[in-house]
Amino acid sequence: MNLAILLVTLFAQKSGRYKSLREQTYEKKLRNLQGYEHVIGVDESGGSGSWAGPLVAAAVTILEDDHEAMIGVDDSKQLTRQKQLEIYDIITSNPTKFAWTVATSSPEEIDSMQVSPAGRKAMLKCVKSLFKENSNLVPDESYAIFDGHRRPKYCPCIGRPMVNGDSLCYTVALASIIAKVSRDRIMQAYAKEYPVYGFDKHRGHGTMDHLRALHIHGPSPIHRKSVKAVKERLMPLP
């Protein structure tokens, strides 16, 4: 494939992705064509790229029938910190428009069951909490879309996994923002408790500064012992 064709293909994919988010394509299809009252987006933050701290999952659904998509909604990884906070504040301060929940899997849970199962466990807790905390949500009338390759077992409502769901599905993108901001705030608090690791900068993700801190100070109580860089904290520096 030559460069011109590649650029056209990438532009078409990006344009299609933004159209899907902006027009809430998946949500409208599930509501208007399949009759579901609510579409629940579910995503997580702090998965396999993190060496420390919890994995945080979030579930979000839109409560109003004629919701107009917010400008700029996208996968949280594509947004500036300011935009993440702006959308987070809109969602969390409008209980008549949005319902949302957050759940975590601890470093100990991640170590014992690995990242992907721990992520699905946190996602399942989110969806269950969403129904428990919102009596107007009915499992038989709801559909959940989970970012990733697999959906959790025993979900109270029907649903499906969606690879790159946070880039394609509006409610999953909203969930990715809630999960990201929630986890960042947890790691900011840990940065005060364990200041030598720089959690306020890298949020527990794998970086050279994080690796150097591990070599100097060893793992903290919130480090994931199953991560190779933590387990072998004396890895040679380049």
Side-chain angles (χ1 to χ4, degrees), residues 90-104:
I90 291 172
I91 295 169
T92 57
S93 62
N94 285 281
T96 61
K97 296 181 179 181
F98 303 97
W100 61 279
T101 53
V102 168
T104 65

Side-chain angles (χ1 to χ4, degrees), residues 32-234:
N32 300 338
L33 300 181
Q34 298 187 35
Y36 291 99
E37 287 290 326
H38 296 100
V39 179
I40 302 167
V42 194
D43 199 4
E44 52 86 3
S45 178
S48 57
S50 295
W51 295 354
L55 180 151
V56 177
V60 177
T61 192
I62 299 163
L63 299 176
E64 53 186 10
D65 293 333
D66 57 348
H67 176 76
E68 190 170 325
M70 286 182 282
I71 296 172
V73 168
D74 200 347
D75 169 14
S76 62
K77 295 184 289 296
Q78 305 299 322
L79 302 178
T80 64
R81 174 68 175 165
Q82 181 179 350
K83 191 63 178 179
Q84 292 171 7
L85 292 172
E86 176 187 322
I87 296 171
Y88 176 93
D89 288 342
I90 291 172
I91 295 169
T92 57
S93 62
N94 285 281
T96 61
K97 296 181 179 181
F98 303 97
W100 61 279
T101 53
V102 168
T104 65
S105 284
S106 68
E108 292 77 16
E109 288 176 301
I110 294 167
D111 288 338
S112 66
M113 63 194 306
Q114 299 303 312
V115 172
S116 292
R120 290 193 293 274
K121 180 180 179 180
M123 287 179 170
L124 180 60
K125 285 193 284 186
C126 276
V127 176
K128 288 182 174 180
S129 294
L130 198 67
F131 286 117
K132 185 177 181 180
E133 296 172 14
N134 296 273
S135 58
N136 57 329
L137 297 181
V138 180
D140 289 345
E141 298 174 354
S142 302
Y143 192 101
I145 299 178
F146 297 87
D147 184 67
H149 291 84
R150 294 174 63 184
R151 54 162 285 183
K153 295 180 179 179
Y154 313 117
C155 182
C157 67
I158 194 169
R160 59 162 287 189
M162 181 181 290
V163 177
N164 298 323
D166 48 7
S167 296
L168 298 169
C169 178
Y170 182 77
T171 48
V172 178
L174 296 182
S176 78
I177 294 165
I178 293 291
K180 175 71 166 63
V181 174
S182 298
R183 186 177 188 277
D184 283 355
R185 290 179 173 178
I186 291 172
M187 297 310 295
Q188 289 275 28
Y190 277 133
K192 295 177 182 178
E193 191 172 351
Y194 307 107
V196 297
Y197 296 98
F199 291 141
D200 55 325
K201 297 180 178 66
H202 51 65
R203 309 290 195 268
H205 295 296
T207 67
M208 284 305 304
D209 286 343
H210 194 172
L211 183 60
R212 288 189 179 94
L214 276 172
H215 275 268
I216 295 169
H217 304 287
S220 73
I222 66 162
H223 274 94
R224 302 175 184 179
K225 307 304 187 294
S226 56
V227 173
K228 184 176 180 181
V230 178
K231 194 186 310 183
E232 303 173 1
R233 65 181 189 181
L234 297 178

